[in-house]
Amino acid sequence: GDTHRRRIRSMADTEHRFKYVFIPADESIPVEEREGIAVGSAGGDVLVDLLRPHFLRGGSLVDADAARKEAERHLGPEQAARLSPDRLVAATESGSTETFALVHPASTNGYRGVYLYTDECGKLKSLPENPRALELAQRCGIDVRHPFHGDAFVGAVKTSPPPMRNVSFTEHELDPGAPWMLVAPAENAVYAETFREFMSAVEGKATREELEHRRESRETEETDPGRRSRRTSEGEEIPPHGLRL
């Protein structure tokens, strides 16, 4: 009826299409430009969910020994030992999309971030390495510590004006001379330095708060005799509650 037609019309009004690129792990298969559709006005990166079925139907099973080692790395040997092999495999076998920033949104790039999307469990599934994805990340000035395993996708999001939303990333933007890629190393260097400064400030704030707490504790002891520690004739410290340390 009319209500259904209005709902369809409303969805069409808030629908937008965008391009993204498929980079197969198999280098004999050419890269492919694809189209995605985002529906609604809530925003967000729809590629994370859109690509999950691809990684789910990857066809490869998770290697139980690899899953165990990964669990030990994240949880520690004791916690990992409590998980049965079936639970370990089940926890890693579902399709899950991992995002890797090739360049973060910033005022210098019009708040357009470019991301690589991979199978989070690609290594555990013993999927082949993806040399083209690795080369792309290295071209962006990123020191990649581990190779990407399995198929990969490249997409873009824009964060300003809000809400965050997917925007097109086309095949020709994989060209080494693409404007975004030429400036990516410098932008990533700035981002890394800003992040280091932020972490240093966070650690510094924690240290300042700890020193402030100690100072307040000393002041409390000096102004509150009941809270002050006492010493025995042998010089042992007796805390306010009366028990010897």
Side-chain angles (χ1 to χ4, degrees):
D2 291 343
T3 304
H4 179 68
R5 279 195 293 272
R6 279 198 300 270
R7 189 178 297 124
I8 296 295
R9 200 178 302 122
S10 175
M11 287 176 66
D13 290 343
T14 58
E15 171 186 296
H16 81 273
R17 296 169 183 267
F18 60 92
K19 307 288 186 183
Y20 63 99
V21 177
F22 173 45
I23 305 178
D26 184 347
E27 289 187 279
S28 69
I29 303 173
V31 298
E32 178 189 331
E33 185 174 291
R34 297 184 176 181
E35 185 176 73
I37 301 174
V39 178
S41 56
D45 185 353
V46 302
L47 274 177
V48 173
D49 289 328
L50 185 69
L51 299 176
R52 187 174 289 129
H54 180 92
F55 299 132
L56 179 60
R57 64 173 179 264
S60 297
L61 297 176
V62 171
D63 179 85
D65 289 336
R68 172 75 57 191
K69 288 176 183 174
E70 192 70 4
E72 287 178 354
R73 189 168 71 87
H74 286 285
L75 304 173
E78 288 185 15
Q79 288 277 79
R82 294 176 190 159
L83 298 173
S84 68
D86 288 345
R87 282 190 65 191
L88 275 172
V89 171
T92 53
E93 209 160 50
S94 61
S96 189
T97 308
E98 183 169 20
T99 57
F100 182 91
L102 295 173
V103 64
H104 294 269
S107 58
T108 50
N109 56 36
Y111 298 99
R112 180 182 183 255
V114 179
Y115 292 85
L116 197 62
Y117 301 81
T118 62
D119 186 339
E120 189 176 47
C121 302
K123 184 179 180 182
L124 299 182
K125 294 175 182 175
S126 300
L127 296 178
E129 293 181 9
N130 191 321
R132 287 181 290 191
L134 178 62
E135 183 187 352
L136 177 60
Q138 290 171 336
R139 276 204 205 125
C140 294
I142 299 168
D143 180 17
V144 184
R145 303 297 171 91
H146 304 285
F148 301 104
H149 291 263
D151 295 337
F153 297 83
V154 187
V157 299
K158 196 159 187 178
T159 59
S160 183
M164 179 177 77
R165 62 208 176 279
N166 294 92
V167 291
S168 283
F169 182 92
T170 56
E171 186 179 336
H172 76 264
E173 289 188 88
L174 290 176
D175 188 280
W180 78 272
M181 202 181 301
L182 293 176
V183 299
E187 291 189 333
N188 282 323
V190 170
Y191 179 86
E193 180 59 31
T194 303
F195 185 74
R196 277 194 295 270
E197 290 174 358
F198 171 76
M199 292 306 295
S200 178
V202 168
E203 290 167 6
K205 181 175 184 292
T207 304
R208 287 196 302 275
E209 286 177 349
E210 187 178 333
L211 291 171
E212 182 70 15
H213 177 70
R214 288 179 185 172
R215 185 182 66 77
E216 288 176 356
S217 296
R218 283 198 300 272
E219 289 177 355
T220 301
E221 288 181 359
E222 290 167 3
T223 57
D224 183 356
R227 295 280 306 276
R228 197 180 303 158
S229 299
R230 305 189 307 281
R231 292 185 181 276
T232 65
S233 56
E234 292 86 11
E236 290 181 285
E237 186 172 334
I238 302 176
H241 49 59
L243 296 176
R244 293 190 184 186
L245 296 175

